Amino acid sequence: DVKVTQSSRYLVKRTGEKVFLECVQDMDHENMFWYRQDPGLGLRLIYFSYDVKMKEKGDIPEGYSVSREKKERFSLILESASTNQTSMYLCASSMTGKGDTQYFGPGTRLTVL
Amino acid sequence: KNQVEQSPQSLIILEGKNCTLQCNYTVSPFSNLRWYKQDTGRGPVSLTIMTFSENTKSNGRYTATLDADTKQSSLHITASQLSDSASYICVVSAIPGGTALIFGKGTTLSVSS
């Protein structure tokens, strides 16, 4: 079974703090994604990566950056957390050419105070 | 504009009853359509995937249909169980590769005893 793990299930940070969300997948997938999910808005793509050290902006990249130094790991960084970044963050991975099914992690509920 | 609209927004049914969730999309070009199930506090899990040439796909008590001409899909749940309580998300892929997914906002299903 594909396994996507996220470093924290719940996280509470203060405004202005730098926040790191880590995601690891164990199936050698090329593609990795970061989404945020908010009530009434559904999932929105923040950033994705199709290879090590490669990244592409999604629909809402402002206020976020990412890092992919190793194939299995994709990090989401909030340089200076703000209250409007309080959300559920979901990481996903997929293999190119396999019907592009995305496998999701359990999510990180981030609260910025 | 590529969009995926789901209805109803929420639904409450009694255990053992059947229900049907709807998904209309205006995505072009079209590659495939997926239904995901997301339990509360968890990441989404893929239930079914259908390409342009497929008009029905089953996964246990879940049956998805696709009408590519009218750009409509439905997810039918038979003999509902309490464990079916979740959010169901319709996702359309514009091109193969997994990086151009358009998400619906989901239908929240509550099954009561």
Side-chain angles (χ1 to χ4, degrees):
Chain A
D1 277 354
V2 175
K3 192 160 187 182
V4 180
T5 57
Q6 295 183 229
S7 51
S8 305
R9 292 301 305 274
Y10 300 95
L11 208 53
V12 179
K13 295 292 182 180
R14 297 210 173 270
T15 302
E17 280 192 80
K18 191 169 185 176
V19 181
F20 292 89
L21 302 182
E22 301 282 332
C23 175
V24 177
Q25 50 94 5
D26 66 357
M27 285 302 293
D28 202 36
H29 284 172
E30 295 91 351
N31 308 312
M32 296 188 74
F33 309 82
W34 275 108
Y35 296 90
R36 63 177 284 175
Q37 185 176 33
D38 301 288
L41 296 178
L43 278 88
R44 292 180 291 167
L45 181 64
I46 304 171
Y47 267 98
F48 66 95
S49 168
Y50 52 87
D51 201 353
V52 176
K53 296 191 185 297
M54 306 300 289
K55 60 184 179 183
E56 293 285 344
K57 292 181 180 179
D59 299 319
I60 52 164
E62 297 78 18
Y64 303 93
S65 62
V66 291
S67 172
R68 193 161 180 209
E69 296 296 319
K70 293 184 178 182
K71 190 175 185 179
E72 67 271 18
R73 189 180 298 269
F74 192 34
S75 303
L76 180 69
I77 303 154
L78 287 67
E79 294 289 342
S80 178
S82 62
T83 55
N84 63 13
Q85 291 179 310
T86 291
S87 186
M88 168 71 90
Y89 289 88
L90 289 160
C91 174
S93 71
S94 71
M95 180 175 287
T96 301
K98 293 292 183 181
D100 56 43
T101 296
Q102 292 191 10
Y103 297 87
F104 286 84
T108 295
R109 172 74 65 184
L110 173 67
T111 301
V112 182
L113 302 174
Chain B
K1 181 182 177 183
N2 287 333
Q3 283 188 313
V4 175
E5 301 284 345
Q6 292 187 243
S7 62
Q9 187 174 353
S10 61
L11 185 61
I12 301 172
I13 62 173
L14 288 174
E15 187 178 15
K17 298 296 186 182
N18 303 335
C19 68
T20 301
L21 313 180
Q22 300 290 345
C23 173
N24 297 336
Y25 61 93
T26 56
V27 177
S28 183
F30 174 85
S31 176
N32 58 60
L33 184 147
R34 281 187 184 73
W35 284 93
Y36 278 89
K37 179 187 180 189
Q38 184 177 20
D39 293 318
T40 301
R42 311 291 289 270
V45 175
S46 180
L47 287 175
T48 63
I49 176 174
M50 288 179 293
T51 59
F52 183 87
S53 59
E54 297 172 298
N55 55 25
T56 188
K57 185 72 69 79
S58 291
N59 178 357
R61 293 179 297 101
Y62 301 100
T63 300
T65 63
L66 173 65
D67 186 333
D69 291 332
T70 62
K71 299 188 176 181
Q72 295 180 323
S73 177
S74 64
L75 180 69
H76 186 74
I77 304 174
T78 304
S80 61
Q81 300 176 358
L82 297 178
S83 59
D84 293 330
S85 296
S87 179
Y88 292 84
I89 304 170
C90 177
V91 184
V92 179
S93 178
I95 55 175
T99 59
L101 300 184
I102 296 92
F103 288 80
K105 293 183 172 59
T107 292
T108 300
L109 174 65
S110 298
V111 180
S112 61
S113 57

